Amino acid sequence: MMISGLNGGSCILSSMAKERVKSGILDQAQVVGCKGEYTVVFNGMQWKGKPIVLSSSRQPYEARIFKSLDGAIAELLRIGLTEASIKITTKPEKN
């Protein structure tokens, strides 16, 4: 499925993600990264060949970086997702 984020980009805010979870558009996510640098990627969602990632309201056009897995998982729970996978990498992946 193809959906765009802010301004036709591949980043979406938590509020946008929450509405898309409620409507059933988003139902899978993956926390990706290494110690101190985790991002949330929504599985199966792409825009112009790039994965849809969670962003923050302070930097809405960049992927939000979480310092801990707990923080990323807590945000997914706030959004309404109850299942997610985790991919630990040796160095941060650029989205």
Side-chain angles (χ1 to χ4, degrees):
M1 174 180 260
M2 292 184 60
I3 58 172
S4 72
L6 288 171
N7 201 24
S10 63
C11 294
I12 62 173
L13 298 170
S14 292
S15 59
M16 295 169 69
K18 188 173 190 173
E19 290 303 314
R20 290 176 181 174
V21 167
K22 282 182 186 178
S23 67
I25 294 172
L26 292 177
D27 62 355
Q28 298 179 28
Q30 184 176 47
V31 179
V32 180
C34 64
K35 186 175 181 178
E37 296 186 37
Y38 301 99
T39 57
V40 173
V41 179
F42 294 98
N43 297 344
M45 298 288 125
Q46 290 192 352
W47 182 250
K48 296 183 181 179
K50 292 185 176 181
I52 299 292
V53 296
L54 193 62
S55 64
S56 71
S57 56
R58 289 185 182 175
Q59 295 177 317
Y61 304 108
E62 296 178 20
R64 181 173 176 183
I65 306 297
F66 292 89
K67 293 182 181 180
S68 69
L69 282 172
D70 287 346
I73 298 297
E75 187 62 25
L76 286 173
L77 289 171
R78 280 190 285 277
I79 290 169
L81 288 175
T82 56
E83 292 185 30
S85 62
I86 299 171
K87 180 179 176 185
I88 305 298
T89 60
T90 54
K91 59 183 175 180
E93 291 187 4
K94 300 293 180 192
N95 293 320

